[in-house]
Amino acid sequence: MADVETGAAIIDGKAFAEGLRARIGVAAANFAHQAGRRPGLAVVLVGEDPASQVYVGAKGKACEAAGMASFEHRLPADTSEAALLSLVERLNHDDAVDGILVQMPLPAGLDEQAIIAAINPDKDVDGFHVINAGRLSVGQEGFVPCTPLGCMMLLKDRLGDLSGLDAVVIGRSNIVGKPMAQLLVDANATVTIAHSRTRNLPEIVRRADIVIAAVGRPEMVRGDWIKPGATVIDVGINRLPPADGATKGRLVGDVAFAEARAVAGAITPVPGGVGPMTIAVLLRNTLVAAHHHAGMDAPEGL
Ligand code: NDP
């Protein structure tokens, strides 16, 4: 339950992600010692989308900081699909590369699904390939998309056993909402997936012990939608228009944080909640891919 004085506990994704990254760093050093090479992640960026440039830069730095090799491929916006497919094919066969990530969105004219389908599923550390989506849906081991897996780590850390809890996932994208719902079902929660056609969303959310907001609408989920004591995971990252005189607007989630905090038992902040988990899980997936690639068992507990 929320503390009447201070409100919900804050789920500190930044601190959790730092701990995970430290453990990955140790495991990456062990891998390098045994395999004679560092785990390697290839990141492909096509075009000059500013947000994508920031993400790609951050992923490269995080790799190096964890003792992994980062191979960045920055291609012009007018790159042809054939050229991109041929780069992916080359990376599929490159023994120094354990994970391949093609930064989305791709410029218009490039078929994202065709590019994802070309990545070797065993190097698909984003978990977007249909083979990995299928593995998740039938309960086989595979790569799970980084953001929902990061949310699940925070939930398990906070709640332990999720059996029988009512969960609502707002959003049904392939990269967040659907895999999130699958992970929750696998953890024995009772799951409702809501989307833009859902009726009576506030009422549905009010029944939930766990709320995952992955919509992309600033502060859409209000405090009076939240069941007292619920655990709220806010995936949304939305930049508000700049206030008078400011150059940049504030970052907010999909949940009205102050209102929800007064009612919830625990809540992730934006920034500093789910966001830092996404890159940490990408490193984790790359480390696992490296072990499989080298014929080694992946370390437990990551
Ligand atoms: P998408 O735009 O792909 O999906 C949004 C989902 O929200 C859709 O399923 C849509 O429904 C649903 N939706 C839209 N409006 C409403 C509404 N009024 N009521 C209920 N549902 C609604 O987004 P993503 O899943 O890619 O991302 C969601 C958010 O998470 C974004 O803010 C994004 O920036 C953020 N994000 C954060 C990450 C992180 O690292 N923290 C990583 C990835 C995303 P429908 O299917 O019917 O259109």
Side-chain angles (χ1 to χ4, degrees), residues 55 146-148 151 169-178 193-198 201 213-218 220 225 234-238 252-254 270 273-279:
Y55 294 145
C146 302
T147 301
C151 293
V169 180
I170 317 173
R172 56 174 165 182
S173 70
N174 291 332
I175 62 168
V176 188
K178 282 185 202 155
I193 305 177
H195 44 77
S196 66
R197 309 291 175 87
T198 296
L201 183 58
V215 184
R217 289 178 177 254
M220 184 188 84
W225 299 17
D234 191 351
V235 181
I237 302 178
N238 309 287
V252 297
D254 291 342
V270 176
V274 174
M277 291 301 293
T278 298
I279 287 190

Side-chain angles (χ1 to χ4, degrees), residues 217-233:
R217 289 178 177 254
E219 302 178 322
M220 184 188 84
V221 177
R222 309 309 308 187
D224 65 359
W225 299 17
I226 304 295
K227 174 173 166 178
T231 302
V232 179
I233 305 287

Side-chain angles (χ1 to χ4, degrees), residues 84-127:
L84 184 53
L85 287 168
S86 113
L87 171 61
V88 168
E89 199 47 30
R90 190 151 58 77
L91 297 173
N92 280 341
H93 291 99
D94 185 337
D95 274 341
V97 172
D98 300 297
I100 303 171
L101 179 156
V102 179
Q103 184 65 43
M104 302 293 163
L106 290 172
L110 294 174
D111 179 349
E112 294 185 350
Q113 289 308 319
I115 304 301
I116 293 169
I119 297 172
N120 175 350
D122 296 331
K123 293 191 177 188
D124 168 41
V125 284
D126 253 343

Side-chain angles (χ1 to χ4, degrees), residues 25-208:
V26 171
N30 287 339
F31 175 88
H33 184 68
Q34 288 178 47
R37 66 175 183 84
R38 295 186 294 166
L41 174 67
V43 180
V44 180
L45 173 63
V46 187
E48 268 129 44
D49 176 67
S52 294
Q53 287 185 338
V54 172
Y55 294 145
V56 164
K59 287 167 186 175
K61 275 196 198 132
C63 262
E64 293 290 341
M68 300 188 184
S70 158
F71 308 104
E72 262 183 37
H73 296 266
R74 291 176 184 253
L75 307 177
D78 63 358
T79 298
S80 69
E81 195 164 304
L84 184 53
L85 287 168
S86 113
L87 171 61
V88 168
E89 199 47 30
R90 190 151 58 77
L91 297 173
N92 280 341
H93 291 99
D94 185 337
D95 274 341
V97 172
D98 300 297
I100 303 171
L101 179 156
V102 179
Q103 184 65 43
M104 302 293 163
L106 290 172
L110 294 174
D111 179 349
E112 294 185 350
Q113 289 308 319
I115 304 301
I116 293 169
I119 297 172
N120 175 350
D122 296 331
K123 293 191 177 188
D124 168 41
V125 284
D126 253 343
F128 293 168
H129 195 290
V130 287
I131 294 277
N132 283 314
R135 285 171 174 159
L136 177 61
S137 99
V138 298
Q140 286 178 9
E141 198 188 335
F143 290 112
V144 176
C146 302
T147 301
L149 185 52
C151 293
M152 202 60 195
M153 289 177 180
L154 294 178
L155 278 173
K156 286 200 165 154
D157 182 60
R158 174 82 206 162
L159 296 171
D161 185 8
L162 309 189
S163 285
L165 295 180
D166 283 318
V168 168
V169 180
I170 317 173
R172 56 174 165 182
S173 70
N174 291 332
I175 62 168
V176 188
K178 282 185 202 155
M180 187 72 240
Q182 188 70 56
L183 289 171
L184 286 162
V185 171
D186 290 348
N188 300 319
T190 303
V191 183
T192 302
I193 305 177
H195 44 77
S196 66
R197 309 291 175 87
T198 296
R199 293 186 196 153
N200 302 328
L201 183 58
E203 269 174 45
I204 291 170
V205 174
R206 262 178 222 123
R207 294 200 291 265

